[in-house]
Amino acid sequence: MAARAGEVAQPNGSTALVEPIYQSTVYAYPDLEALEASMSGAQPSAFYYRNGTPNGATLERALAMLEGTEAALVAASGMAAISSAFLGVLKTGDHVITDSRVYGVTYALLAEEFPRLGIAVSFVDACNLEEVEAAFRPETRLLHVESLTNPLMTVPDVPALARLAHARGALLSVDNTFASPAVFRPAQHGADLITHSVSKYLSGHSNAMGGVVCGRADLVAAARTRLLRYGGSMSAFDAWMTLQGLKTLGLRMRAHSGNAQAVADVLVNHPRVRAVYHPGLSDHPQFHLAMDLYPDGFGGMLSADIDDAPAFVRSLAGRIPLAPSLADVITTLSWPWGTSHRALPEPERRRLGITPNLLRLSIGIEDIGDLLGDLEFALDGGQT
Ligand code: PLP
């Protein structure tokens, strides 16, 4: 269904299977009545690019359908989506609880920007339900977590967190970037707001930038008001590119998940690998919960602590790129110690398990034999 969201009927009766890119920044109206109907919302229509493009509206329908929510709002980046979602529901005096493992810029937004607005934030281990429960205050309005965390792939219990939040009159927001709705749909488990960095699995080819907020219509409308005022709208081209990527989301995620599980199973048995972090391994701390919540796999992300990581990365040169993003159809590597977690004090990084030898792998959809061949070549010293 979502794959056909972009079809556009033509005046001559045929249908464009691929929606045209609407690059117009403004739209003309035949008369004042038509303009009034558009502005009042009686007959909503595209009128000015910052307020949303037809390509963005198509993408919003597709993403709401995929996440199973009433509405969706697309944005210029994941951070534009997250900040709009938060600003839509928070006001001065409110309190937020969040996992201390959230994406670094989300952490900085909550730790450094929101206190300037008079919004207090507590950081907790979201996998420890007692710690989460103890952090609630009468003014707690929002609990925010990521469905699979970066880079150690912990799995917070979203249904239990939703129950905790709702019992205290708070909302649960879930960043579902690492999972995608093809493997996990937080709304089905009680989440009120779902966010994504669209440049990851939803678009899937490292060629489109954007974000999305999905949720109840009133919560999405509140986020939209903030997004439009702060000016974080998504470009028509990025929305269009994402719609093309979305057509293969299900197929890609099955391949990412299968390949990542196969890589995890091989890495865990290699003498050079000290630890592998993947929810499908039986020694993962949330293995049973993960198997319950993710019956279709976990996507392509995993991390591994590998002896002499610098030499391993050098051996992979020309085979697996070192690139600090994720979710491409090709496998990429990143280095949390020096990139995403660079700002954390060294003892804190080590306490979390983020060592200089930890590498995050975003496993692609390549032929698994070729991929394992490349990894084993590098693990065995890279000699030909
Ligand atoms: N959430 C997660 C889990 C991410 O990994 C990222 C970026 O890597 C973001 C949010 C922010 O998204 P963007 O870079 O599109 O602003």
Side-chain angles (χ1 to χ4, degrees), residues 76-80 82 103 105-106 146 148 150 175 177-178 195-200 209-211 324-326 360:
S77 66
M79 290 318 302
I82 290 169
Y103 172 64
V105 184
T106 307
E146 293 176 4
L148 297 170
N150 175 32
D175 181 330
T177 299
F178 269 40
T195 56
H196 285 270
S197 171
V198 157
S199 58
K200 310 302 187 297
M209 191 70 198
S325 189
L326 62 122
R360 191 188 73 189

Side-chain angles (χ1 to χ4, degrees), residues 299-311:
M301 303 305 298
L302 62 92
S303 290
D305 202 305
I306 298 176
D307 281 349
D308 197 358

Side-chain angles (χ1 to χ4, degrees), residues 19-382:
E19 187 179 57
I21 301 173
Y22 290 88
Q23 194 52 38
S24 186
T25 59
V26 68
Y27 292 78
Y29 292 83
D31 51 39
L32 293 181
E33 288 74 18
L35 179 57
E36 172 57 21
S38 176
M39 300 303 289
S40 69
Q43 198 169 3
S45 60
F47 69 98
Y48 182 57
Y49 197 104
R50 178 168 45 73
N51 289 65
T53 66
N55 302 109
T58 305
L59 181 58
E60 286 174 354
R61 283 195 299 279
L63 293 176
M65 199 185 306
L66 285 172
E67 283 291 7
T69 58
E70 278 177 11
L73 163 70
V74 293
S77 66
M79 290 318 302
I82 290 169
S83 54
S84 304
F86 290 178
L87 289 169
V89 296
L90 297 171
K91 60 178 185 332
T92 300
D94 284 346
H95 172 242
V96 181
I97 303 170
T98 190
D99 195 352
S100 50
R101 299 188 192 86
V102 288
Y103 172 64
V105 184
T106 307
Y107 190 104
L109 177 76
L110 289 168
E112 292 171 23
E113 302 300 325
F114 278 50
R116 296 175 58 207
L117 304 175
I119 296 164
V121 182
S122 299
F123 291 90
V124 296
D125 172 359
C127 291
N128 180 340
L129 293 177
E130 284 169 13
E131 195 181 323
V132 177
E133 190 163 18
F136 276 92
R137 302 179 189 168
E139 64 276 19
T140 305
R141 173 81 179 124
L142 185 70
L143 169 61
H144 176 74
V145 299
E146 293 176 4
S147 44
L148 297 170
T149 69
N150 175 32
L152 299 179
M153 300 297 285
T154 57
V155 185
D157 188 342
V158 169
L161 292 170
R163 284 192 295 276
L164 275 184
H166 295 160
R168 304 298 188 107
L171 299 167
L172 176 66
S173 146
V174 177
D175 181 330
N176 200 27
T177 299
F178 269 40
S180 94
V183 298
F184 187 63
R185 299 168 99 203
Q188 279 181 353
H189 300 283
D192 304 285
L193 285 163
I194 297 112
T195 56
H196 285 270
S197 171
V198 157
S199 58
K200 310 302 187 297
Y201 285 118
L202 295 178
S203 61
H205 299 74
S206 301
N207 57 11
M209 191 70 198
V212 66
V213 183
C214 299
R216 242 174 37 214
D218 61 325
L219 300 178
V220 171
R224 191 181 301 278
T225 301
R226 267 78 233 172
L227 184 89
L228 301 191
R229 289 183 186 160
Y230 285 99
S233 311
M234 190 183 204
S235 83
F237 182 64
D238 287 296
W240 184 87
M241 287 293 280
T242 304
L243 278 163
Q244 308 321 308
L246 215 50
K247 292 179 185 183
T248 55
L249 178 69
L251 198 60
R252 282 187 283 113
M253 292 314 290
R254 275 196 290 285
H256 283 297
S257 298
N259 279 1
Q261 184 70 53
V263 169
D265 291 340
V266 165
L267 290 181
V268 83
N269 288 314
H270 198 283
R272 191 171 161 189
V273 180
R274 301 275 150 220
V276 181
Y277 301 92
H278 183 269
L281 294 174
S282 57
D283 65 348
H284 184 281
Q286 293 90 37
F287 174 69
H288 295 290
L289 172 69
M291 297 304 269
D292 270 0
L293 292 181
Y294 292 77
D296 300 322
F298 308 101
M301 303 305 298
L302 62 92
S303 290
D305 202 305
I306 298 176
D307 281 349
D308 197 358
F312 175 75
V313 172
R314 267 195 305 278
S315 304
L316 282 174
R319 294 168 187 249
I320 296 184
L322 175 64
S325 189
L326 62 122
D328 202 319
V329 288
I330 61 162
T331 297
T332 58
L333 273 177
S334 78
W335 186 44
W337 177 269
T339 57
S340 55
H341 290 69
R342 192 183 187 90
L344 278 189
E346 188 175 326
E348 179 61 5
R349 276 182 273 176
R350 289 192 187 275
R351 190 188 66 77
L352 289 171
I354 296 162
T355 70
N357 276 335
L358 185 81
L359 295 173
R360 191 188 73 189
L361 287 96
S362 171
I363 301 296
I365 64 171
E366 302 92 338
D367 175 86
I368 188 61
D370 291 350
L371 180 54
L372 290 175
D374 285 347
L375 291 169
E376 280 165 345
F377 166 82
L379 283 171
D380 296 337

